[in-house]
Amino acid sequence: MEIDRSPGKHVRVDVWLWTTRMFKTRNLATQACRGGHVQVEGQRVKAAQKVSIGQEVRVRKAGTEFIWKITGFIPTRPQASITVQCYEDLTPPPDPALRGFVPRRDKGMGRPTKKDRREMEKFLGDMAKPQNRDRRDH
């Protein structure tokens, strides 16, 4: 797959976003442009806007803003390992303070393990055994 790096080449922004796998479908890329989530050089663009090498593309997706500098064009949608050669990722790393807190469970908290259940049954004896809840027996 040949990457076109000629400076005079222009491609629609929705096609570039789709071929470089920024969006799963071209329709999603077009909808993002219509919704004002795509900017080229700081200006909101329509899906048919032509982009060229060296331009900066900003896309707001899922609450995050991605920034890419165009370095090449591909005529079709190839595998992801090839598409990364068509842009330079300028997106700043996320702020660690904004990442979600991952809850940690202290040992012994929460649902009892199988070992805990056996120890409770041993301690409680007959009281811990499950009772028959079938109503036809009553």
Side-chain angles (χ1 to χ4, degrees):
M1 180 76 41
E2 285 293 317
I3 298 173
D4 188 0
R5 299 186 192 280
S6 56
K9 177 85 172 173
H10 297 289
V11 175
R12 287 174 55 123
V13 68
D14 63 337
V15 172
W16 184 81
L17 289 169
W18 173 70
T19 57
T20 54
R21 296 183 172 266
M22 306 304 174
F23 288 94
K24 194 170 189 176
T25 65
R26 186 168 165 198
N27 187 30
L28 288 175
T30 303
Q31 288 176 3
C33 291
R34 274 194 207 129
H37 301 290
V38 179
Q39 294 181 356
V40 175
E41 300 295 333
Q43 300 294 318
R44 286 184 176 178
V45 294
K46 294 182 179 181
Q49 174 75 39
K50 301 286 185 181
V51 292
S52 58
I53 291 179
Q55 287 188 312
E56 181 181 278
V57 178
R58 292 176 177 258
V59 177
R60 199 171 55 248
K61 255 183 10 176
T64 305
E65 186 174 54
F66 297 94
I67 306 167
W68 301 294
K69 183 177 180 181
I70 300 173
T71 60
F73 300 114
I74 310 173
T76 60
R77 186 179 162 104
Q79 59 194 16
S81 60
I82 295 174
T83 62
V84 296
Q85 299 171 16
C86 295
Y87 62 90
E88 183 182 335
D89 193 357
L90 304 175
T91 307
D95 185 10
L98 297 177
R99 285 194 301 189
F101 173 72
V102 178
R104 303 275 179 187
R105 187 175 73 101
D106 292 335
K107 187 171 178 140
M109 298 297 295
R111 186 174 177 174
T113 63
K114 194 181 257 188
K115 182 180 177 185
D116 294 337
R117 181 184 54 80
R118 285 193 201 113
E119 289 175 0
M120 283 191 299
E121 285 178 359
K122 186 176 178 183
F123 177 74
L124 295 173
D126 290 336
M127 292 187 333
K129 291 185 180 175
Q131 297 180 5
N132 189 1
R133 297 189 186 267
D134 191 1
R135 294 182 182 246
R136 288 179 276 172
D137 292 340
H138 296 291

